[in-house]
Amino acid sequence: MKALVFSAAAVLALALVPLFIQSPYALHIFILVFLAVALGESWNVIGGYAGQYSVGHSAWYGIGAYGAFILLQSKGIAPWKGVWVAVAVAVLIALVVGWITFRLRGPYFVLASIAVAEIIRLVALNWKDLTNGAEGLSVDVPPLKIGSTLITDWNSKTPYFYMGLLMALFCVAVGVAVKRSKLGYYLQAIREDQDAAHSLGIPLTLCKNAALGISAACTALAGSFAAFYFGSFIEPQAVFGIDVSIQMVLTCIIGGIGTVTGPLIGAVVLALLSEALRTSLAQAHLLVYGVLVIVVILTMPDGLVGFAVQRLRRKAAAR
């Protein structure tokens, strides 16, 4: 009950931020955190709960971005409608890919996930009639109207702030729902010992595919949002690159894999670090990320959340 009250208070405080903070840059930082939260929670469903360390989630991120862009450019379908088509396409492709790749385990699955993302990137790069190839796609976001009433023309950060907040809350809610469901318990059993889970009658491939479908849907949703927010321009390397997948994995590793709060904390740390590096050490960001991961794995293998929980337990035991 206390956690629910605290969460509601935190959400209310965030919703009031644009009323007190008018700086576009400050709102931009909040939006980056919301996006990182959504992507971290999305990856956590398959990587954290099921223990399937995918490094190819940029595939679903890019499909979400391109799907909404193509529908808007070719059919004139507004992005808040087209995104659901893009999400459906991402889920369908993810289920097909999962049916094939979940036959692999450990590092072989990791390599397969990278290969899938690279294949989809090359398809986007060479299917010029659909994606415009390396030149990318550029669109103008239409104003949001309900009937004849203008809701927003997207010329400020505020509407993106609230859209990002809703998206992050949705992904967190999905993570909580999955973890507390029967599927979540199956996934955690699979993560701990696949052979033992199979011997108990848990359908491994079905559960993994369900987790991948949920994860791909949320990732595609975040990808569509990010594409429209960052200048309404996309090209294959920007959305299908392996660095996009690595950012998702890092968010969970830093915060704590397999926990709901882990990606929240990891998103704040990584978003602020990324922005600081962009303005100071833009060319060395991968090196800094690598050092950070090594430090976290060596000193806090369960992430910041796991480290904090262990400290609290030790203090309680000492008392």
Side-chain angles (χ1 to χ4, degrees):
M1 187 62 182
K2 291 182 179 180
L4 184 60
V5 172
F6 177 79
S7 300
V11 171
L12 179 60
L14 286 172
L16 295 176
V17 164
L19 300 179
F20 299 97
I21 298 178
Q22 304 299 323
S23 169
Y25 182 71
L27 294 179
H28 171 69
I29 297 298
F30 275 101
I31 294 169
L32 292 181
V33 171
F34 295 153
L35 178 60
V37 167
L39 291 174
E41 293 287 354
S42 301
W43 185 88
N44 201 37
V45 172
I46 185 68
Y49 302 149
Q52 308 301 302
Y53 290 174
S54 167
V55 193
H57 258 50
S58 58
W60 325 128
Y61 180 91
I63 289 174
Y66 264 100
F69 263 52
I70 291 171
L71 288 172
L72 177 58
Q73 187 180 68
S74 61
K75 304 295 183 181
I77 299 176
W80 41 90
K81 297 178 182 177
V83 63
W84 304 113
V85 178
V87 166
V89 172
V91 171
L92 288 175
I93 296 176
L95 293 178
V96 173
V97 169
W99 182 76
I100 299 171
T101 59
F102 282 136
R103 301 168 187 267
L104 305 172
R105 296 187 183 184
Y108 302 105
F109 173 76
V110 174
L111 293 174
S113 68
I114 296 174
V116 168
E118 182 63 13
I119 290 170
I120 295 178
R121 186 187 71 83
L122 292 174
V123 170
L125 186 63
N126 291 283
W127 196 350
K128 296 184 178 180
D129 292 338
L130 182 66
T131 65
N132 206 31
E135 296 179 12
L137 293 176
S138 179
V139 297
D140 294 322
V141 184
L144 175 59
K145 295 182 178 180
I146 297 179
S148 58
T149 304
L150 176 65
I151 304 301
T152 180
D153 54 9
W154 307 102
N155 288 330
S156 71
K157 300 288 186 182
T158 302
Y160 288 106
F161 177 93
Y162 286 113
M163 290 290 290
L165 177 59
L166 289 174
M167 178 184 65
L169 290 175
F170 174 76
C171 292
V172 171
V174 169
V176 172
V178 170
K179 187 172 184 178
R180 295 182 177 179
S181 67
K182 186 177 181 179
L183 173 63
Y185 293 123
Y186 282 175
L187 294 177
Q188 292 172 62
I190 293 171
R191 179 188 64 196
E192 297 303 323
D193 192 325
Q194 291 197 45
D195 294 327
H198 181 65
S199 68
L200 294 173
I202 296 176
L204 302 183
T205 303
L206 179 62
C207 291
K208 291 179 186 178
N209 263 328
L212 180 60
I214 295 169
S215 181
C218 294
T219 305
L221 180 64
S224 180
F225 170 82
F228 283 102
Y229 175 65
F230 293 118
S232 297
F233 172 80
I234 55 171
E235 53 88 17
Q237 183 59 36
V239 295
F240 290 112
I242 192 172
D243 55 315
V244 177
S245 300
I246 291 175
Q247 289 267 359
M248 301 184 209
V249 179
L250 285 179
T251 299
C252 295
I253 288 177
I254 293 171
I257 292 178
T259 65
V260 175
T261 54
L264 296 175
I265 297 173
V268 174
V269 173
L270 199 61
L272 295 178
L273 180 62
S274 298
E275 189 62 18
L277 293 176
R278 187 186 68 83
T279 57
S280 58
L281 299 172
Q283 301 301 319
H285 67 285
L286 291 179
L287 175 62
V288 176
Y289 288 162
V291 172
L292 180 61
V293 170
I294 292 172
V295 171
V296 170
I297 290 176
L298 290 178
T299 60
M300 297 176 286
D302 295 323
L304 293 171
V305 171
F307 178 75
V309 170
Q310 288 179 3
R311 290 293 299 272
L312 292 174
R313 287 176 178 174
R314 288 175 184 172
K315 289 183 178 180
R319 290 175 183 174

